[in-house]
Amino acid sequence: MAVRSLTIAAAALAVLAASPAARAADLWGIEGEKAVVLKGKVVDLLCEIGGTCAPDCGAGRHQLGLVDGNGRLYPAAKGNTLFAGAVADLAPYCGKEVEVDGLVIESPRMHLLFVQKLKAPGDTEFRSAEAFGKAWEAAHGKADEWFRADPAVKAVIAADGVFGIKGLEPQP
Amino acid sequence: MLRRAVLSVPIMLSALSVDVHAAERVKVEGELIDTWCSVTGIMFAYGTAHHQCAVWCAVGGIPVSIKDKDDNTYLVLKVGDDDLSVANPKIVKIQSHEVSVDGELVERDGVKYLLVDAVADDKGIVNLTEAEYGVVPFGE
């Protein structure tokens, strides 16, 4: 009986581990981080905070966040593409409820949401929040590191250098 | 029923005004920062040492904030008439600069959001960090 129970439990755990809904976020070792599956409405921060509302949440021009069932607002700061945010992932779901699998960073300075995976209305499984990377590649072509190949980045660095001060060089 | 509905209108308007209009006029002086790296403490997130990384993150659409000398962090949602807060070229090119701005501060759930009127003063990068600009994260 005990063996049977263990077998069933092991099988159940295997199913849970394979299930997208049971996926835990990747921890980054950040102080105050908390792995979450957060359900909330996608909102335009400028609308929520400043009262300037656009029907499409700014169409990718505005920072976005999630309001959970308790009315708490989480600014979405990070997506799953290196050095990129989550606006491209969330913007198509303006005003709709989504599920985010990711990290909430509870810092004394502010809390932030890191969107690692997203389940949008109609999705049966979570998918990685990599819309920025895909959009960048569609616009600019393949690159090993988008952030080094991006023309806007190149223009700023070319103007003032990697230190942001023209003529300043690394010390020997 | 009608009476209850009429009575609830001022309450609803009042609740709405808390979210939308509880703004305070402020002047903020501080460094334009990459919010993610700064708040999470990932890498050395300030001044010259972090400038390149801060530009990458701002172009990637990570929110830009201003950190003042008292360690308050203000997430910038707009600058003047420009409502662009995702990769705004005007902000991207002055990442890591010490600035002074006037604007409206709205605090919600412990996060300070700033609606900036204009960048009144730009002192450039004054924070020569990591043993006086010796380190550039990710090199090259």
Side-chain angles (χ1 to χ4, degrees):
Chain A
M1 184 65 174
V3 172
R4 180 181 155 80
S5 297
L6 278 175
T7 305
I8 291 170
L13 280 174
V15 169
L16 279 174
S19 161
R23 181 188 177 279
D26 295 327
L27 297 172
W28 276 34
I30 298 166
E31 192 173 344
E33 73 182 0
K34 189 169 65 178
V36 295
V37 174
L38 186 66
K39 189 178 281 191
K41 188 175 79 168
V42 175
V43 295
D44 174 355
L45 293 180
L46 189 58
C47 175
E48 282 289 303
I49 297 301
T52 306
C53 303
D56 54 2
C57 291
R61 295 172 52 90
H62 297 176
Q63 293 295 341
L64 304 179
L66 237 62
V67 174
D68 72 5
N70 297 317
R72 190 182 197 213
L73 175 61
Y74 296 82
K78 182 80 182 76
N80 224 13
T81 297
L82 283 176
F83 303 104
V87 168
D89 296 288
L90 296 175
Y93 309 106
C94 173
K96 298 193 169 105
E97 194 163 84
V98 298
E99 278 183 80
V100 165
D101 184 343
L103 300 178
V104 169
I105 312 298
E106 295 283 2
S107 162
R109 294 162 66 191
M110 66 170 67
H111 60 266
L112 293 174
L113 179 62
F114 175 6
V115 182
Q116 293 183 359
K117 294 222 167 193
L118 183 73
K119 191 194 275 186
D123 288 350
T124 54
E125 296 185 357
F126 281 97
R127 55 189 153 88
S128 187
E130 297 171 330
F132 176 91
K134 288 175 182 168
W136 192 93
E137 194 174 297
H140 302 284
K142 276 203 176 301
D144 289 340
E145 297 172 321
W146 76 265
F147 41 91
R148 291 191 196 280
D150 187 88
V153 170
K154 283 183 169 179
V156 174
I157 301 301
D160 294 325
V162 292
F163 292 119
I165 301 174
K166 203 184 292 277
L168 194 64
E169 297 292 336
Q171 292 184 330
Chain B
M1 183 68 170
L2 178 62
R3 177 179 159 77
R4 193 189 308 165
V6 170
L7 283 174
S8 69
V9 169
I11 294 169
M12 287 164 58
L13 289 175
S14 171
L16 187 66
S17 70
V18 170
D19 281 346
V20 177
H21 299 296
E24 174 192 353
R25 295 292 311 173
V26 292
K27 179 172 187 172
V28 174
E29 294 178 18
E31 182 176 333
L32 282 170
I33 58 163
D34 153 17
T35 307
W36 170 251
C37 282
S38 174
V39 169
T40 59
I42 292 174
M43 295 180 275
F44 191 89
Y46 302 106
T48 52
H50 194 70
H51 175 71
Q52 181 174 240
C53 186
V55 170
W56 293 346
C57 289
V59 170
I62 287 176
V64 172
S65 294
I66 301 175
K67 185 179 100 63
D68 73 9
K69 63 180 172 47
D70 297 319
D71 207 30
N72 293 304
T73 301
Y74 304 87
L75 198 155
V76 175
L77 292 184
K78 77 178 191 74
V79 179
D81 294 332
D82 187 353
D83 68 351
L84 179 59
S85 59
V86 175
N88 184 326
K90 284 182 255 177
I91 298 295
V92 165
K93 74 178 184 187
I94 60 170
Q95 264 292 55
S96 320
H97 289 202
E98 191 82 11
V99 296
S100 171
V101 303
D102 294 301
E104 289 185 53
L105 166 66
V106 179
E107 195 160 353
R108 176 164 164 184
D109 298 329
V111 180
K112 295 179 174 67
Y113 298 94
L114 200 58
L115 309 169
V116 173
D117 293 339
V119 177
D121 189 19
D122 176 2
K123 296 183 175 69
I125 295 179
V126 299
N127 193 4
L128 301 178
T129 55
E130 276 301 275
E132 300 298 292
Y133 61 87
V135 172
V136 181
F138 299 93
E140 297 136 54

